[in-house]
Amino acid sequence: MTAPKPEDEGRIKAKILVLHGADDGFITADAITAFQEGMRKAGADWQMVYFGRTVHSFTNPGADKVGIQGIAYNPKADARSWDYMQVFLREIFIPK
């Protein structure tokens, strides 16, 4: 997760959806804070959703096979994230 740069202020036109495992140890709290602050300063249209009891790569059914601690598939979070993604895509491609 990378925070926008100061020169990005007012230039981010895309809508942004971040679906994040709340227990993802690969992304630091400082990185999340910097990202959120950068999005606010940039005036971006963004959303961030956290999934509890969820780590990195939670949407990848093969994640458990890599054998790395902190990477695991979570079928419930995967399904929920897909629901959020569909709402997000409808907003973009089927405007009211």
Side-chain angles (χ1 to χ4, degrees):
M1 179 174 304
T2 304
K5 298 178 176 110
E7 58 267 23
D8 293 328
E9 191 169 324
R11 294 177 45 198
I12 299 175
K13 303 301 181 203
K15 295 176 186 248
I16 299 165
L17 173 64
V18 178
L19 302 168
H20 183 63
D23 298 321
D24 184 337
F26 290 93
I27 309 298
T28 67
D30 288 344
I32 292 168
T33 298
F35 173 80
Q36 292 176 350
E37 288 176 2
M39 288 289 113
R40 287 183 188 99
K41 287 178 183 173
D45 181 354
W46 67 282
Q47 312 169 54
M48 187 166 187
V49 180
Y50 290 84
F51 298 98
R53 299 179 58 181
T54 303
V55 295
H56 200 75
S57 296
F58 66 91
T59 62
N60 183 346
D64 298 331
K65 295 176 185 162
V66 299
I68 299 173
Q69 187 174 359
I71 293 179
Y73 179 60
N74 182 324
K76 188 181 287 187
D78 183 15
R80 288 175 176 169
S81 70
W82 178 238
D83 289 342
Y84 277 98
M85 181 63 79
Q86 289 178 79
V87 169
F88 181 71
L89 293 173
R90 274 195 303 272
E91 179 182 316
I92 293 170
F93 294 110
I94 308 172
K96 292 182 181 184

